[in-house]
Amino acid sequence: MNLDVARGALKQYFGYDSFRPMQEEIIEAILNGEDAVVLMPTGGGKSICYQIPAIIRPGMCVVVSPLIALMKDQVEGLKANGIAAAYLNSSQTYEEQAALTEQILLSEIKLLYVSPEKMVSEDFTNILRSVKLNLIAIDEAHCISVWGHDFRPEYHQLKYIRRLFPDIAVVALTATADKLTRKDMVEQLMLNQPRWFVASFDRPNLSLTVQPGQNRLGTIIDFIVERPGQSGIVYCLSKRSTEEIAEKLQRAGIPAAFYHAGMTAKARARTQEDFINDVVPIICATVAFGMGIDKSNVRWVIHYNLPKNIESYYQEIGRAGRDGLPSDTLLFYSFSDVIQQRKFIEEGGQQEIRLAKLERMEEFAQAQICRRRILLNYFGEHVFQNCGNCDICTDPPRWVDGTVPVQKALSAIARMKESAGMQMVIDVLRGSQRKEIIEKEYQLIKTYGAGSDMTVAEWQQCLLQMLQLGLIEIAYDQGHVLKLTPASREVLFEGRKISLARFEPKSKTAKTEKVTPRELAYDHGLFEHLRELRYELALESAVAPYIIFSDATLRDMAAKIPVSEPAMRRISGIGDIKYERYGTIFMKAIRAYADSHSLKPQPQAAQAPIPFSSAKTPRESTYDITYALYQQGLTAAEIAEKRNLGLSTVFSHISYLVAQKRDIDVSPYISEQEVEKVKAAIKAVGSSHLLKTLFDHLGGQIEYSKIRLAIALLEGK
Ligand code: ADP
Ligand code: ZN
């Protein structure tokens, strides 16, 4: 088995032209039957590494995965590419499990996703022994270690795998693992001299920006308005603030929802589903949100509050841009957040280490050097080049002489006998007349009002920088009052000069004006148009839009404007099945759009044999073909067979045709009683767009294809 076969499968099934560098080496090792450990960041493309060997070799690959949601997502994605994948877990009925077991025994499944407890259960290992296994993949393998941040007791039992299947190669994959966890992983899984593959943890497509925590809401609204239609997450510290911010965004006309652990399981599931399906593009959430979500087209992540450490921050921003497209992250940094985080730490254990981690987080937020270098260095990757995609690189701080304001502040702090907090110092400098100042007679000190030429925000910036420069300290144990340091005395008494970064806010739109080098030019209007088409198709077939095509694939179309089969097949992400299912309908949409907007296909695409004009007879759509066969008297199953499509795809065609009011007798496929049940469910759920919710509401008793058909019937009426 050589790599050419692997490359062929990559194009045929996934529609990609080439492997990413490390993928090829990993696949080679796996094909050689070696055990392997794969450490790659989120979005790095780990899955392909075991999926391709599983597909091209005889037999089946078992994938152990910790979360049902993740399994489902992977399986849907694979099926959408025409790969025989399935999952087996406790959420399924006995009948479903039995039917699947049958398929496994008939060698009809290439990739089987299972929970860790299933993997080591006796029933299941017996089944596995009677089929040909070609690989065992352990996803999220760090969950096996108590040293990792995500230990799962169920993973512990995976240490028996080696004994149960001594001859099958095992590949362990994870996106997070410190040294201790890595060692533990290999030992517990009893990997046999595994090959190590450690990719860079850099995510160059994520821009990094930090802003002072003033006027956060206004900044967020501007940020979102600059990115119409994009999907994003606003992470907040408290449940209450998720609700408040979502409401304020809604009032500004922005479609946002909130998510936190205080909601009912049902409400949470629904919110998550709406987000995944692009029904609600923006979620304000606590950090509980995002685990187990594979949505590849999250375009931005905002931290309303400072995260507790760099690990969490990196994991949370990592939920943006899994598809590799440019995505933006924005962190607000305020002193009150630091105090809040310190309070949390004081309430719990392991204070020393948690405080140290918080301090590293603060240093990152305050940094005046390339932020990506700080992050990568934190994770042990030493980088000597500036990234060009963080706020420091794109808008470097400008230094000004800050000696005078620093002197004023230090003198005020000294004259208040180092017993005032930051807000009080600012108020005194600006000459506020609030009651507490008068009571304490601070209006009598020499520097009272000496800083009225600067705004509160500018003073906050100034004091923050003084803190970073060690010119002042905060006495956390004395009500957070500001204290002088030896360095402050040098400024006050020895005439030391101080440079400060200018206090003005970063130019807000620096990010969007700039086109990152990786971003290719594409027609934005066409991209939006195709996104809408994708959304409609997703509703029709009850899958998440990104399962149909990733944003990256749509952008490639919007750049190359493919209107012929060869051109369409060259688009990244279009494998055989995707072409078969969606090629024609997308080409039709592209052709129509291009005609009405005078767009020309890219030169390479123009070599295509089919003339570029919608005036020519439009190609038959996949629906038309199904309809023609139906009119010839074929049943759904026969059409599926003839067209080499899944039965559910044919049902989705029939639903579409019914919704288009074409003449179709649906009585063989759905009973009136079932239609009534779906009708009642739609009423109870309040929407006909939430297929999964409807499915669950109906107790799983009516298949998706029937629900879709019923909806089409009801809406067609
Ligand atoms: P991970 O599991 O490491 O988070 P995924 O396997 O989900 O990453 O891959 C991330 C994205 O990159 C997916 O959209 C995937 O289809 C895409 N991808 C993976 N390998 C390639 C490749 N060789 N060429 C183009 N895109 C790829
Ligand atoms: Zn940088």
Side-chain angles (χ1 to χ4, degrees):
M1 187 72 62
N2 61 30
L3 276 172
D4 286 341
V5 179
R7 275 188 218 106
L10 183 71
K11 183 66 191 166
Q12 181 187 338
Y13 289 100
F14 297 94
Y16 299 137
D17 289 328
S18 56
F19 286 113
R20 293 178 180 157
M22 204 166 272
Q23 287 177 330
E24 199 160 275
E25 293 170 50
I26 296 166
I27 289 172
E28 202 165 18
I30 293 178
L31 290 176
N32 280 335
E34 293 175 89
D35 281 354
V37 182
V38 175
L39 294 127
M40 250 190 215
T42 311
K46 284 183 286 300
S47 326
I48 297 267
C49 299
Y50 58 84
Q51 288 165 351
I52 290 281
I55 293 165
I56 64 177
R57 283 191 306 183
M60 177 179 84
C61 166
V62 190
V63 187
V64 181
S65 176
L67 294 170
I68 293 178
L70 281 182
M71 287 185 205
K72 280 172 108 159
D73 211 75
Q74 290 266 350
V75 168
E76 267 182 19
L78 287 165
K79 281 183 164 170
N81 281 323
I83 297 157
Y87 60 84
L88 195 56
N89 61 42
S90 50
S91 75
Q92 290 160 310
T93 61
Y94 174 77
E95 285 76 21
E96 282 172 312
Q97 299 199 20
L100 184 54
T101 305
E102 185 120 330
Q103 278 187 290
I104 295 168
L105 292 170
L106 289 169
S107 307
E108 286 176 359
I109 303 290
K110 290 301 292 177
L111 279 135
L112 180 67
Y113 287 73
V114 298
S115 57
E117 50 279 23
K118 192 90 201 170
M119 183 70 211
V120 293
S121 74
E122 201 177 326
D123 294 355
F124 184 64
T125 47
N126 282 336
I127 297 169
L128 287 186
R129 283 216 187 80
S130 45
V131 295
K132 184 170 173 52
L133 269 192
N134 60 25
L135 181 66
I136 296 173
I138 317 280
D139 207 5
E140 313 287 349
H142 62 279
C143 294
I144 201 170
S145 173
V146 286
W147 304 113
H149 60 89
D150 204 10
F151 171 61
R152 283 165 196 271
E154 320 85 78
Y155 258 63
H156 227 58
Q157 308 164 36
L158 296 179
K159 55 180 189 258
Y160 301 117
I161 282 186
R162 183 45 17 113
R163 234 173 290 155
L164 290 166
F165 302 99
D167 305 324
I168 311 294
V170 174
V171 51
L173 308 106
T174 172
T176 47
D178 52 59
K179 284 209 179 88
L180 213 52
T181 312
R182 290 179 194 185
K183 196 164 154 269
D184 207 18
M185 233 162 60
V186 173
E187 280 173 8
Q188 293 212 42
L189 289 171
M190 291 198 263
L191 298 186
N192 181 14
Q193 297 183 317
R195 289 277 303 276
W196 282 85
F197 298 96
V198 184
S200 166
F201 271 60
D202 192 10
R203 304 275 314 275
N205 60 319
L206 302 185
S207 78
L208 307 168
T209 302
V210 182
Q211 284 200 12
Q214 287 129 17
N215 184 25
R216 293 181 229 203
L217 198 72
T219 309
I220 292 176
I221 292 173
D222 289 348
F223 180 99
I224 294 173
V225 168
E226 282 165 17
R227 294 163 177 79
Q230 292 191 5
S231 194
I233 307 172
V234 182
Y235 280 117
C236 314
L237 210 52
S238 71
K239 293 174 195 165
R240 211 188 58 213
S241 55
T242 65
E243 297 188 11
E244 281 171 5
I245 296 163
E247 195 196 317
K248 285 178 184 154
L249 292 180
Q250 282 164 8
R251 266 197 248 128
I254 292 168
F258 60 84
Y259 181 104
H260 56 68
M263 294 156 63
T264 62
K266 202 171 152 198
R268 268 182 291 155
R270 189 165 166 169
T271 307
Q272 180 166 325
E273 191 174 359
D274 282 352
F275 181 64
I276 287 173
N277 291 330
D278 286 346
V279 176
V280 176
I282 292 162
I283 303 285
C284 304
T286 53
V287 294
F289 184 73
M291 263 177 277
I293 294 187
D294 234 350
K295 184 174 163 68
S296 70
N297 61 338
V298 177
R299 290 270 71 85
W300 52 261
V301 167
I302 293 177
H303 279 91
Y304 195 86
N305 304 99
L306 189 76
K308 62 179 190 286
N309 56 42
I310 290 185
E311 285 91 341
S312 309
Y313 168 71
Y314 204 57
Q315 187 176 36
E316 284 144 24
I317 62 170
R319 295 187 178 129
R322 292 182 75 121
D323 53 15
L325 292 179
S327 306
D328 296 321
T329 76
L330 170 61
L331 163 70
F332 288 108
Y333 174 58
S334 82
F335 188 65
S336 55
D337 284 349
V338 176
I339 293 183
Q340 184 61 51
Q341 289 286 11
R342 278 180 171 267
K343 275 202 193 119
F344 288 148
I345 291 173
E346 278 155 22
E347 287 159 12
Q350 288 186 305
Q351 295 189 357
E352 220 167 293
I353 182 157
R354 288 165 69 209
L355 268 181
K357 288 198 168 195
L358 177 61
E359 276 164 19
R360 300 292 299 272
M361 186 68 229
E362 284 180 65
E363 282 164 23
F364 168 81
Q366 299 166 350
Q368 305 289 356
I369 61 163
C370 172
R371 297 197 199 273
R372 199 173 313 268
R373 288 176 62 176
I374 301 179
L375 284 180
L376 292 174
N377 279 313
Y378 183 85
F379 292 115
E381 263 179 63
H382 302 292
V383 188
F384 297 96
Q385 234 135 40
N386 290 339
C387 77
N389 195 20
C390 73
D391 53 347
I392 302 290
C393 285
T394 54
D395 191 9
R398 272 158 288 183
W399 299 94
V400 292
D401 183 2
T403 312
V404 172
V406 168
Q407 280 173 341
K408 285 181 189 169
L410 291 177
S411 148
I413 292 166
R415 283 167 204 274
M416 287 187 275
K417 310 221 162 18
E418 301 179 57
S419 63
M422 192 176 284
Q423 193 55 50
M424 177 61 88
V425 171
I426 293 173
D427 287 346
V428 167
L429 282 164
R430 299 191 72 248
S432 153
Q433 306 203 344
R434 69 182 163 96
K435 208 163 122 240
E436 203 188 337
I437 292 182
I438 309 300
E439 274 168 15
K440 293 195 166 150
E441 299 197 321
Y442 286 154
Q443 81 277 19
L444 303 178
I445 65 177
K446 207 173 145 213
T447 32
Y448 177 77
S452 56
D453 55 332
M454 278 165 60
T455 64
V456 173
E458 284 170 339
W459 272 117
Q460 282 173 340
Q461 277 297 301
C462 179
L463 288 166
L464 216 58
Q465 290 190 40
M466 290 170 65
L467 205 60
Q468 293 158 21
L469 294 170
L471 294 169
I472 48 174
E473 276 170 3
I474 293 174
Y476 289 103
D477 52 347
Q478 298 169 36
H480 310 294
V481 298
L482 301 184
K483 298 271 180 196
L484 300 179
T485 67
S488 26
R489 289 175 226 286
E490 284 184 38
V491 179
L492 276 178
F493 308 118
E494 293 162 31
R496 178 180 279 282
K497 294 238 175 289
I498 298 295
S499 293
L500 294 179
R502 286 237 305 247
F503 306 136
E504 69 211 339
K506 299 267 175 197
S507 48
K508 296 197 291 230
T509 52
K511 205 65 270 114
T512 36
E513 285 159 4
K514 168 183 136 285
V515 177
T516 42
R518 292 160 54 94
E519 182 157 26
L520 81 173
Y522 64 95
D523 188 281
H524 290 247
L526 177 55
F527 175 72
E528 288 308 321
H529 188 64
L530 297 178
R531 246 165 50 102
E532 272 169 37
L533 176 60
R534 174 179 71 176
Y535 181 72
E536 281 167 24
L537 292 172
L539 279 185
E540 260 170 42
S541 48
V543 294
Y546 64 87
I547 294 281
I548 294 185
F549 284 134
S550 69
D551 279 14
T553 298
L554 294 190
R555 284 205 189 174
D556 206 24
M557 289 186 201
K560 296 183 182 143
I561 315 184
V563 291
S564 68
E565 174 164 351
M568 191 52 122
R569 283 186 183 274
R570 275 198 293 271
I571 297 294
S572 171
I574 307 241
D576 286 356
I577 293 292
K578 290 277 173 79
Y579 180 78
E580 157 71 23
R581 283 190 192 153
Y582 306 114
T584 318
I585 186 165
F586 273 80
M587 281 194 291
K588 212 166 160 179
I590 292 169
R591 206 174 287 149
Y593 184 93
D595 269 358
S596 55
H597 292 77
S598 320
L599 284 180
K600 285 249 151 33
Q602 270 215 335
Q604 204 192 11
Q607 300 160 3
I610 296 175
F612 178 64
S613 161
S614 62
K616 297 271 181 295
T617 42
R619 284 234 204 146
E620 250 186 329
S621 83
T622 184
Y623 302 110
D624 293 333
I625 300 170
T626 293
Y627 189 56
L629 293 172
Y630 170 81
Q631 284 177 316
Q632 289 168 24
L634 272 66
T635 65
E638 286 162 352
I639 295 173
E641 162 113 47
K642 179 148 187 135
R643 297 199 59 197
N644 200 13
L645 294 173
L647 190 57
S648 63
T649 308
V650 174
F651 274 121
S652 78
H653 291 179
I654 292 176
S655 301
Y656 179 82
L657 294 165
V658 166
Q660 299 288 307
K661 299 204 174 61
R662 304 261 194 115
D663 186 20
I664 289 191
D665 173 18
V666 296
S667 59
Y669 310 122
I670 189 166
S671 69
E672 272 175 33
Q673 208 186 5
E674 284 167 325
V675 176
E676 283 310 309
K677 278 191 188 161
V678 174
K679 191 173 171 184
I682 293 173
K683 200 156 166 231
V685 168
S687 163
S688 62
H689 289 328
L690 303 169
L691 276 162
K692 168 143 188 335
T693 314
L694 288 169
F695 179 78
D696 293 342
H697 186 86
L698 290 159
Q701 291 186 345
I702 300 186
E703 302 155 44
Y704 279 110
S705 54
K706 284 194 178 176
I707 299 177
R708 265 190 317 252
L709 192 53
I711 293 171
L713 280 168
L714 293 165
E715 286 180 354
K717 268 182 191 158

